[in-house]
Amino acid sequence: MSLTEINFDGIVGPSHNYAGLSLGNIASASHAGDTSYPRAAALQGVDKMRGNLARLGVQGFLLPLPRPNRALGEALACDGTEAPALRAAPWSASSMWTANAATVSPAPDTADGKCHLTPANLVTMLHRAQEWPDTKRMLEVAFGDRDQFTVHGIAPMTFGDEGAANHMRFCEGHGSAGVEVFVYGRPGGRFPARQHEQASRLVARAHGLDPARTVFIEQNPAAIEAGAFHNDVVSVANERVLFTHAEAFADQQGAYDAIRAAFPALEVVEVPSDEVSLAEAIKTYLFNAQLVTQPDESMALIVPEECRESASVWGYCERMMASNGPIREVIPVDVRQSMANGGGPACLRLRVVCDPATVDPRFLLNETRADLIARVIATNWPEQIDPADLGSDSLAESVIAARAALLAALELPELA
Ligand code: SUG
């Protein structure tokens, strides 16, 4: 059994649009009303996956969920007179950000030696709270081997849970026992704190984590105020390395101390505010990066293209690459369509450490499948969507047909 980290990217759905639905997500708010380009968005995602497949040797994917969600439209009594934000919610393609699909605890961390997944309830945002039933069904198919995986029910709706975006794992190597760190927000600020402490704690208990190897940390309220609606907008971890902005946590030194007490090998790469301001970090999504271990054991940081366009951020990256630190390579990728809704490279992936042989192979990428997916997208995904189109019958037909074509091509009738 060889345990490997697999990144499962969300394929961008055919209804990808800019409706400004996420309060506290600056990119989503500032692009509200813009025309979106679902075909280009999904092809950008496929290109990112192809790059990572070549770089890492393994890559998974998750499928877009059924949209428009008629049940939500009916529950909202949508009849054309409702507010545009309500009309848009059943059309959201937000499940592309699979870092919010679930929290994952790999087998070496859990009491029963299985990999545990808890789908996130995403209750804070209406358009995201509709995701979990279909996400759970899909996870049960992809990770259907009951000897290896347990897919749990969601946390009760009273406790907001946003999944892996607020979860970090430290370990010597992906296959060895890890220390899991849960980052939560304290409510009461200008923007919602989407990850509640009680949700983090109950997920840790449900997964059977060892309390001595589990750490709970409060996110810096100032970071939430500045637009870091998930912790993965201001920090990312891989193996022994924490790459973080200096203002990510409520008590920065206390956070390092707490992680180090459970994981003494911790190596912190802290980006000081006078080199990259919190605002610039959030604008460029420097930390919404994929910090990955390459086959030669070196670490690379896969960042959005936007990082290269910022003098302070790219200057920092160049100094980091020239330094003796653990991150020697920074690789920009173009995910601009997703970025305009607040989703960088790290939002688009869910990390699962497991033996690839135990995953339903229909969710694993290879070159042939990448070509197939790209072809279905190029033929079926709408080229553009204006938010005023949402609600139209003809758009609904083409979005439904596009997803059906992808399920047929990938032979996944269970998800229909
Ligand atoms: O939940 N954007 C997503 C972005 C999620 C990013 N995920 C991570 N940080 N892991 C969100 O705010 C925008 C939808 C809209 O405005 O139409 C949106 O849902």
Side-chain angles (χ1 to χ4, degrees), residues 22-359:
S22 272
L23 177 67
N25 171 340
I26 291 165
S28 154
S30 63
H31 289 275
D34 286 3
T35 298
S36 64
Y37 296 90
R39 192 181 300 171
L43 292 174
Q44 286 171 358
V46 173
D47 282 347
K48 162 164 117 72
M49 287 201 286
R50 280 191 205 270
N52 284 344
L53 177 64
R55 194 168 293 115
L56 305 171
V58 59
Q59 175 69 47
F61 55 86
L62 295 174
L63 281 289
L65 304 183
R67 296 288 176 269
N69 178 351
R70 301 249 176 243
L72 180 60
E74 276 165 29
L76 292 170
C78 288
D79 62 2
T81 63
E82 67 281 348
L86 291 190
R87 189 170 318 138
W91 291 77
S92 179
S94 53
S95 67
M96 71 174 85
W97 298 298
T98 51
N100 306 116
T103 306
V104 184
S105 296
D109 303 356
T110 69
D112 65 4
K114 290 190 197 179
C115 175
H116 287 249
L117 300 97
T118 295
N121 63 29
L122 294 168
V123 69
T124 305
M125 297 288 161
L126 172 68
H127 68 289
R128 301 222 60 182
Q130 66 183 318
E131 292 174 31
W132 71 264
D134 293 309
T135 298
K136 181 169 185 284
R137 269 206 311 146
M138 181 157 44
L139 296 176
E140 284 166 347
V141 176
F143 306 104
D145 182 340
R146 298 267 172 102
D147 294 331
Q148 307 292 336
F149 300 99
T150 299
V151 178
H152 293 264
I154 55 164
M157 292 294 203
T158 343
F159 306 123
D161 180 16
E162 304 266 328
N166 299 302
H167 176 256
M168 302 187 283
R169 177 173 189 258
F170 296 91
C171 52
E172 295 290 349
H174 292 132
S176 48
V179 165
E180 298 197 16
V181 175
F182 293 77
V183 185
Y184 59 88
R186 190 164 16 96
R190 181 162 68 112
F191 294 142
R194 291 163 65 167
Q195 182 70 40
H196 297 184
E197 181 179 0
Q198 289 309 330
S200 299
R201 288 188 184 273
L202 76 86
V203 169
R205 289 195 296 276
H207 288 193
L209 300 182
D210 175 356
R213 303 181 63 80
T214 310
V215 180
F216 299 92
I217 291 177
E218 189 192 329
Q219 202 186 348
N220 183 0
I224 300 178
E225 296 263 313
F229 54 94
H230 292 135
N231 174 63
D232 70 359
V233 175
V234 281
S235 50
V236 58
N238 181 51
E239 295 184 332
R240 59 184 195 288
V241 177
L242 170 63
F243 179 58
T244 183
H245 192 270
E247 296 174 64
F249 309 114
D251 172 359
Q252 197 78 13
Q253 189 56 48
Y256 302 156
D257 293 346
I259 301 171
R260 200 164 271 130
F263 185 76
L266 175 70
E267 214 173 308
V268 178
V269 179
E270 183 190 272
V271 181
S273 306
D274 59 0
E275 291 188 46
V276 176
S277 68
L278 191 52
E280 196 65 4
I282 290 169
K283 187 167 151 230
T284 59
Y285 264 38
L286 169 62
F287 298 95
N288 199 264
Q290 290 183 253
L291 184 55
V292 293
T293 307
Q294 306 184 99
D296 67 357
E297 302 287 303
S298 68
M299 277 195 204
L301 190 69
I302 298 160
V303 299
E305 273 289 354
E306 283 79 349
C307 289
R308 194 149 48 178
E309 288 153 17
S310 157
S312 66
V313 169
W314 197 245
Y316 179 86
C317 289
E318 287 186 322
R319 287 194 296 283
M320 180 168 74
M321 284 189 273
S323 78
N324 250 347
I327 308 170
R328 303 279 177 81
E329 210 180 333
V330 179
I331 302 165
V333 291
D334 178 3
V335 288
R336 285 182 200 278
Q337 282 288 309
S338 167
M339 281 286 285
N341 247 341
C347 299
L348 284 161
R349 62 93 174 94
L350 180 67
R351 293 192 273 194
V352 181
V353 170
C354 64
D355 179 349
T358 62
V359 177

